[in-house]
Structure formats: C-alpha cells, structure tokens
Amino acid sequence: MSGAEKRTTFHLVLIKPTHYDDDGYPITWFKSHIPSNTLAALYGLGEDCLKRQVLGPDVDILIKPFDETNTRVRPDKIMADIERTGGKALICLVGVQSNQFPRAVDLARHFLAAGLPVAMGGFHAAGCLSMLPVVPPEIQAAMDMGISIYAGEAEEGRLDEVLLDAWHERLKPLYNYMDDLPGIEGAPTPRLPPAALARNEGRKSSFDLGRGCPFQCSFCTIINVQGRKSRFRTADDLEAIVRENYKQGITSFFITDDNMARNKHWELFFDRLIELRENEGIGVSLIIQVDTQCHRIPNFINKARWAGVYRVFIGLENVNPDNLLAAKKRQNKITEYRKMLQAWHTSGASTWAGYILGFPGDTRESILRDMEIIKKELPLDILELFMLTPLPGSEDHQTLWKQGVWMDPDLNKYDLHHRVVHHPKMSDAEYEQTYRDAWRTYYTPEHIETVARRHGSIPGRNPAEPAQFMTMFKIMFEAEGIHPLEGGVVRMKYRRDRRYGMKIEPIGVFHWKLALETWRKLKIYGRLAWQGWRIGQKVRFDPKRHEYTDLALEPVAEDEMDKLSLFADTAGGGAAVTKKRGEDLARAKVAAAHNQQRLEAAE
C-alpha cells in the first residue's frame, strides 16, 4: 500500500451555537453582525495542531467551523459528510454562554445518538465550575449524556490533549483548567476561512489582545472565567493577525478585550497599526471596548482614532453612583462621564454604552427619569440596555445561589434581555414593562435626530450614520423582539430546528404563521427604516448643521456641575460631586506644596 492510502482523516467540527427565541427557534441570520472570537481562536489553534501533526504524520485534521448565528447547523449533513469521508471525529460546541447551553445540548443529542464524541466549552461551564462548590445539575446531566465538559482556555497544548483523547477514544467527562489559565503571548493566530467570514455582515472578524480584568464588578463573569490577572498578546502577534486577515480582504475587526484601555501594551498596539497604515497602506477599522476613565490616559483617544478605531463600546452601566457602588463598579465615576463622552465625540468616534436596569434601588420612575437625563446631558450615541442578570459565573449568581433565592431555571433566558429574578421594588410585570419602555424612551425619533445633529456638527462626519445605527437597534427591538446585539440581516427560521421537547408544527401551520410574522415585521422595518433615513437626510442637508450645539456638548464649570440633573437628581450624584471637589482640592494642595518645595530648593 502507498503512503497516501495509509492516511487517515480526523474531523474537528467547531460549532458556535446560538440560542432560542421565545418560540423555541434558533436565532439564525443570513448574515450576522458580531463575529465569534472563540470560533476564530479555536480554528487557529486547530490549524496549529494540524501543522504540528499532533495526531501523527499520517493523520489529516480537517477543521470545519460553524457559527450558528449565521449558518444553519444540520447535524445530519455533518454526520453524512464524516461518514462519506471516513476517519474519526470530534464535535466541539465552543464558546457556549449560559443562554446558549440548552441549544448546545440539543445539538449534542444528534451527534451522541450517532456515536460521535462531543465536547462542550465556554463561559457557562467555566463560570459555574469556578464559582460554585458543586457541579450544577444541567452540567452533570450533560456529562451523564456523554458530553465531555471543558472549562478553561485551550492554548499551551490543552487542545492537543483533547484531540489525542478523542483520537484514542478516551475522552474524559471533565477537563477543568480553571486553576491554570494559559499565557497568550505568541499563541497561534486567531482566524477563520473566507467562507466563514463571508457570513459576517461587513466581512468583519474579531480577536483578543488581552484577557482578564483587575476589577471586581459583581455582575461580571469575565473576572471569574478569564481571571483578574491580565494576560496579553504582543504587537508582533497583532501584526500577524492583521496580515493574515488582510490576505483574505478582511480589514474590519472587533477587538474583544473587555477593556482595551487597561491593556498595558495599548500604545504599542496602536503604534504598530499606525505604522502598517502609513508604511504599507494596510489600514484597519476597529471596534474596541474601554472603561469610563480612558480619556484620562494621555493620548489614548487620539492614538486610538489614528490607529483606526471608529466605534467604542463603554461600560457605562448606570448613572446612579449608589447603584454602581452596590455592583462594586467603583472605577466608574459619573463626574467623568461627560468629559469622557465629549472627548470621544470630538474625536469623531461613535460611542456605544452598556446600561444595566434593575439594580435594587431602581424604580420605574427613576429608570425613566435617568433615560431623559442621559438623552439631555450625555453626548452618547447608542445605548444598549440590559436587565441586571445573575449570570452563572458571576458573584451575583454565586450569592443568590448560596442564599437559595429563586432564579429562573430556564438558562435560555439568561441573555440579559429576559427577567430571571424578582425585583425588590417592582412587580415582575412592572419591571418587564419598564425595560421595554426604557428602550422606547431612548430611541424616539426626536432623540435619533438629536444624536444625528450632534454628529452633523462635526466637519467630515456623516449624520446619517448614527441615525442608521439607532434605527437598526430600534428595528431589532420592535420588529424581531430580541436584543439588538443579537441582530443580523434577514432572519432564518426552520420548522424542524425547534427546541427539544417543543412540538414540531405541521408544515402548513408553520409557514402560514411565518408568512404573517414576516409581513408584520416588514411593515415595521419599512416604517422605521423610512423614518430613520428621513432623519439622516434632514440633518445631512441642513446648511446650518455645523452650528448645532446642546447641553450635552457644552463644557460645564466644576463649580456648576451640581446644577446638572446628572448630579442633582440621581441617587448619590450630589455626594459624587462633593467627593470629587474634595479630591480636586486635596490634589491642588499637594501640587502647591510640591511647588513650594521646589521654589525653596531653588533658592
């Protein structure tokens, strides 16, 4: 027999699952908005395993990535392809968040029934195993089904171990690496093949430059999954990622670092991107995430824009200091919000902020009041509203679990868009209605025009762009009934993909209901898209657009800050101003003392 005839194939199938809508159908789009960093990272690691021949020189590792947010996952077709090609296989359900866990298990059922090994990793498994003293029942049930659970990251040879175990048919029920997180400096380049990237709207990709966070926000899972000790890639790693994607025509990226401003290499990263743009014409467009103190880092915003950052996501979380303190979000200072947002606005970048509703001190009245304050006094573009959710892996979840407090058992709802706990001051119905009303309060036609005018006042900015994005958010919420961050282009729905245990509807009933639903959505799409387009064009062609200003854009003297509703009317706002003035006075006294010492030394 020849050497070619002796070769064997190992199928590494990487599936990033979506989650179900309220009717039990997977949320899948013709094109998705947000690319999966986990899928790209594992595909790169898989290619590295192939290159190093971890399964032996006579084994070809065939890697197939599926992102279910933009691709229908057909287990029957995947299994038929494996059978036709021959060899062994491992089905990996990757990056599984809590709300995606039920869908991931349902997908696994098909492969397990065919005798194929299945492994599952992601934030849900890692978060639960890092924060709970016992294995939660849904993870134990998954292991009892035959799913191998993976907790942790896959660099530094960890993926090698899983592949070898699958090859030798000795997969462990549990791989727990949470006590030993790997370094990522020099790790294989995250990437996806062109066919997979083509399913992302705008041909975007994603990668991380750092993992871990030093802060202690009680609602956050990142600090307990990726650790509080930060780990970083290098500028050479960044260049390799950009060049690899540039070969495929990909120049737009979402950098998934939880806080780029706290990456100690941020300036080296930005400088390298600037060099690539100026010396080789390799320019990129970037979306990054930062904290509310980033503007205080000298030259950060300027270099970010120069490097290609056009959109920045900010963890604003709330405008009430008492709520921020309750969530241990001590690094957020509402006295810095206006300066930070004004700095980004002046730079020309688009600002998107996460905002959490449902803190213990919130009421319907306070939430809707705060929406009006934000609209009037903060130059913010997109506001992403979330329900305060005890995500498995967070301190909040751990606390409620220990106290035996009721939390909704349906993990599919843990998407920050559904209520999963009771609120101490609002009934369930009032809390849910307030959440919906907060969206509608912020995304009014009048406020969309205000944001467009703020951008229209900047020379070179197209005011139709923020109007378009705000309208898209409004459409996703109103027409699709989902959180806009889960949105995409053209919703795909398949009758037989319904959630396990829910009735498969007769073909006629399903398609009739789908037709009615589609007609209803199209009317909303058309009405709102026309509305948003008119707003953008109205501002764009206003000859006086560059003269526009409002309270959110104007500087306010330190001694007049408490006249703003942001400080006068929010819980703890007045105390925050008083504290800041005290800190400023103390710094001024220290500076004066140092100056006096220098003068005396000079004499």
Side-chain angles (χ1 to χ4, degrees):
M1 296 176 67
S2 67
E5 291 175 322
K6 293 180 181 179
R7 301 195 66 80
T8 308
T9 299
F10 181 83
H11 300 262
L12 177 58
V13 180
L14 305 174
I15 301 174
K16 177 67 173 77
T18 183
H19 89 292
Y20 296 108
D21 63 18
D22 291 342
D23 291 329
Y25 293 99
I27 301 176
T28 302
W29 304 89
F30 177 69
K31 285 184 179 285
S32 58
H33 288 319
I34 300 178
S36 170
N37 174 57
T38 302
L39 198 60
L42 282 169
Y43 187 87
L45 290 171
E47 284 195 319
D48 182 63
C49 289
L50 170 62
K51 185 186 304 181
R52 293 185 290 108
Q53 299 180 335
V54 298
L55 298 182
D58 58 343
V59 180
D60 295 319
I61 302 177
L62 186 60
I63 312 168
K64 299 178 182 179
F66 297 88
D67 185 344
E68 201 181 18
T69 63
N70 57 42
T71 304
R72 185 189 184 193
V73 174
R74 293 284 303 273
D76 56 337
K77 289 190 175 183
I78 294 172
M79 292 184 291
D81 185 49
I82 293 171
E83 183 176 358
R84 181 173 57 254
T85 307
K88 297 183 178 182
L90 174 64
I91 312 299
C92 292
L93 298 158
V94 307
V96 180
Q97 301 170 10
S98 295
N99 67 88
Q100 297 160 349
F101 190 87
R103 175 59 181 165
V105 171
D106 287 352
L107 285 171
R109 296 178 196 276
H110 298 279
F111 298 109
L112 292 172
L116 292 175
V118 177
M120 181 194 301
F123 264 59
H124 183 71
C128 288
L129 294 176
S130 68
M131 296 296 285
L132 300 179
V134 298
V135 176
E138 74 279 356
I139 292 181
Q140 185 60 57
M143 289 194 291
D144 292 343
M145 286 172 58
I147 300 173
S148 180
I149 297 296
Y150 188 99
E153 297 167 12
E155 286 82 7
E156 293 188 349
R158 283 100 190 266
L159 183 59
D160 298 22
E161 180 185 358
V162 177
L163 296 187
L164 283 165
D165 285 353
W167 176 253
H168 293 292
E169 301 179 5
R170 63 188 187 206
L171 271 182
K172 302 171 185 175
L174 175 64
Y175 295 83
N176 190 347
Y177 288 107
M178 292 307 298
D179 293 333
D180 185 22
L181 297 174
I184 58 174
E185 180 177 339
T189 300
R191 80 171 205 93
L192 285 170
L197 289 172
R199 302 308 296 264
N200 294 321
E201 182 268 331
R203 290 183 60 80
K204 296 183 182 72
S205 190
S206 62
F207 58 86
D208 57 16
L209 292 172
R211 297 176 192 167
C213 178
F215 298 127
Q216 297 180 326
C217 309
S218 65
F219 54 79
C220 182
T221 61
I222 290 174
I223 55 179
N224 303 312
V225 173
Q226 295 187 346
R228 289 194 171 92
K229 180 180 178 181
S230 297
R231 295 158 288 138
F232 308 103
R233 298 188 193 271
T234 67
D236 289 340
D237 296 333
L238 168 62
E239 182 175 338
I241 293 170
V242 170
R243 288 186 183 278
E244 179 63 36
N245 282 275
Y246 189 75
K247 294 176 185 176
Q248 302 179 33
I250 304 298
T251 58
S252 184
F253 302 97
F254 172 35
I255 300 180
T256 61
D257 292 36
D258 187 52
N259 189 351
M260 187 67 177
R262 293 294 169 256
N263 189 313
K264 67 180 182 180
H265 301 312
W266 70 264
E267 192 161 23
L268 292 174
F269 292 145
F270 289 158
D271 285 345
R272 184 65 62 89
L273 292 173
I274 293 168
E275 289 173 10
L276 287 172
R277 180 189 300 271
E278 295 188 343
N279 297 338
E280 302 184 42
I282 301 177
V284 298
S285 299
L286 302 174
I287 303 172
I288 64 171
Q289 302 182 96
V290 298
D291 62 23
T292 59
Q293 300 290 308
C294 61
H295 64 296
R296 302 181 69 175
I297 303 174
N299 221 22
F300 180 84
I301 291 179
N302 180 51
K303 282 205 171 183
R305 286 290 288 150
W306 197 4
V309 174
Y310 71 98
R311 187 180 303 162
V312 56
F313 178 86
I314 304 152
L316 205 67
E317 315 309 6
N318 211 265
V319 295
N320 291 281
D322 288 355
N323 284 345
L324 295 171
L325 185 62
K328 297 185 179 180
K329 190 83 176 183
R330 300 182 181 91
Q331 67 272 23
N332 275 25
K333 312 292 184 185
I334 70 165
T335 50
E336 297 291 331
Y337 282 7
R338 281 171 55 86
K339 292 179 183 178
M340 177 268 299
L341 289 169
Q342 286 174 349
W344 281 112
H345 178 79
T346 301
S347 78
S350 176
T351 52
W352 299 36
Y355 195 87
I356 300 174
L357 308 178
F359 286 106
D362 282 340
T363 63
R364 174 177 172 81
E365 292 73 24
S366 71
I367 288 172
L368 298 182
R369 175 206 65 201
D370 292 349
M371 290 298 104
E372 297 298 337
I373 291 174
I374 292 170
K375 289 162 59 177
K376 183 179 180 182
E377 299 183 358
L378 295 180
L380 179 64
D381 301 337
I382 296 292
L383 192 64
E384 300 172 356
L385 301 175
F386 304 104
M387 282 190 167
L388 181 63
T389 302
L391 291 171
S394 69
E395 181 184 337
D396 285 350
H397 180 271
Q398 182 191 59
T399 298
L400 295 182
W401 184 87
K402 288 180 178 179
Q403 294 173 351
V405 174
W406 179 85
M407 293 181 280
D408 198 304
D410 185 1
L411 289 172
N412 192 67
K413 294 180 180 179
Y414 284 70
D415 56 0
L416 313 184
H417 185 64
H418 289 81
R419 179 193 57 79
V420 297
V421 292
H422 303 303
H423 191 271
K425 292 186 177 180
M426 292 182 279
S427 68
D428 294 346
E430 184 181 25
Y431 181 19
E432 291 166 357
Q433 185 62 48
T434 300
Y435 173 71
R436 292 190 291 269
D437 289 344
W439 276 102
R440 296 178 179 124
T441 297
Y442 187 81
Y443 288 91
T444 62
E446 294 77 17
H447 188 58
I448 292 175
E449 182 174 336
T450 295
V451 172
R453 290 196 175 280
R454 288 171 183 168
H455 278 272
S457 67
I458 303 174
R461 282 289 290 166
N462 179 8
E465 182 183 333
Q468 173 190 347
F469 274 109
M470 293 184 75
T471 299
M472 182 271 288
F473 265 59
K474 188 173 184 178
I475 286 173
M476 287 297 112
F477 184 82
E478 295 288 350
E480 300 290 349
I482 63 171
H483 195 284
L485 287 185
E486 289 193 286
V489 179
V490 185
R491 174 73 191 276
M492 313 298 285
K493 187 179 286 190
Y494 303 97
R495 184 173 70 96
R496 292 191 173 276
D497 292 355
R498 202 171 196 187
R499 188 173 181 178
Y500 180 78
M502 297 185 75
K503 180 182 177 182
I504 301 298
E505 296 181 308
I507 188 168
V509 173
F510 172 82
H511 286 290
W512 173 249
K513 291 171 66 175
L514 182 61
L516 292 177
E517 176 187 305
T518 301
W519 175 242
R520 178 189 65 81
K521 290 180 180 179
L522 285 175
K523 290 192 292 184
I524 298 174
Y525 269 78
R527 174 174 57 84
L528 295 181
W530 172 246
Q531 182 185 85
W533 182 84
R534 290 182 61 190
I535 291 171
Q537 297 307 301
K538 174 184 177 181
V539 177
R540 182 181 178 187
F541 292 105
D542 186 341
K544 296 183 178 181
R545 79 181 213 192
H546 293 140
E547 301 174 15
Y548 178 83
T549 189
D550 61 26
L551 180 58
L553 301 179
E554 297 169 0
V556 174
E558 296 289 336
D559 59 352
E560 295 184 344
M561 288 175 62
D562 48 10
K563 295 180 181 179
L564 293 169
S565 296
L566 178 64
F567 308 114
D569 297 337
T570 56
V577 172
T578 300
K579 181 179 179 182
K580 184 180 187 306
R581 287 173 176 166
E583 292 172 347
D584 291 346
L585 180 60
R587 280 193 291 268
K589 288 180 178 179
V590 171
H594 287 167
N595 288 335
Q596 182 63 33
Q597 289 175 356
R598 283 195 292 269
L599 288 173
E600 292 175 355
E603 293 174 356

